[in-house]
Amino acid sequence: MTPDDINHFWLDEVGPKGWYEQSDALDATIRQRFLPTWEKAEEFAAEWSGTREGALAALILTDQFPRNMFRDDPRAFATDPLARRIADLAIANGFDLATPEPARQFFYLPFEHSEDLADQNRAVELFSEFMPGESLVHAKAHRDTIAKFGRFPWRNKALARAPSPAEDQVMQAGGYGAIVSGKLSLDAL
């Protein structure tokens, strides 16, 4: 497996249209092609993270692929801390700015996926400065959710966490989709 294998698959074969649409077929393809690589993510990340292309592949492997391979399973978030470390180093090296949009977002998403408010604020800052637009709307929705609850209600089931009544309201209203679309105001909870 090489960084190009991952980058070509995610950026070219799947592409932006498929990145955020739930597809059982895509999830199965990612498991089949990339699960053995994900299981050695620490090793590959150490090997690849010194180049822009390698860091991008390591971020896709540790932050994006698990969310497809392990929907509704705690393993979906198992490599999030590693993804944040890779992103920190990559941003320090300027790899994010050397990567054209829309692929640049994968350097910032590990912070947006964090349940830590400082990481959320960093995601909003990065998107504000380097990728304003639709991605910034999502970054702010994630940050506001963490500011309100300290965690993402839509992860509660996978992580066997008991939801609060307000988190139940979020999920009954449509979860993240209701927040980002403005159908549900977190201020009203």
Side-chain angles (χ1 to χ4, degrees), residues 121-144:
N121 287 330
R122 185 170 185 199
V124 169
E125 289 169 10
L126 289 164
F127 279 112
S128 292
E129 188 168 351
F130 303 118
M131 277 191 75
E134 185 66 24
S135 295
L136 179 57
V137 171
H138 290 277
K140 287 180 177 180
H142 280 82
R143 187 223 23 227
D144 294 349

Side-chain angles (χ1 to χ4, degrees), residues 30 38 59-71 73 75-80:
I30 293 172
W38 179 83
L59 288 166
I60 293 166
L61 176 68
T62 58
D63 187 63
Q64 296 300 300
F65 285 177
R67 285 165 167 74
N68 289 86
M69 292 188 292
F70 307 118
R71 289 187 193 274
D73 182 302
R75 292 175 293 174
F77 320 110
T79 52
D80 283 5

Side-chain angles (χ1 to χ4, degrees), residues 30-40 69-70:
I30 293 172
R31 272 191 303 277
Q32 178 195 19
R33 289 176 65 176
F34 301 105
L35 179 59
T37 306
W38 179 83
E39 289 172 336
K40 296 179 180 178
M69 292 188 292
F70 307 118

Side-chain angles (χ1 to χ4, degrees), residues 141-142 144-145 149 153-154 170 174-184 186:
H142 280 82
D144 294 349
T145 302
F149 299 110
W154 43 89
V170 168
Y176 177 70
I179 293 169
V180 78
S181 71
K183 292 179 183 174
L184 176 69
L186 292 173

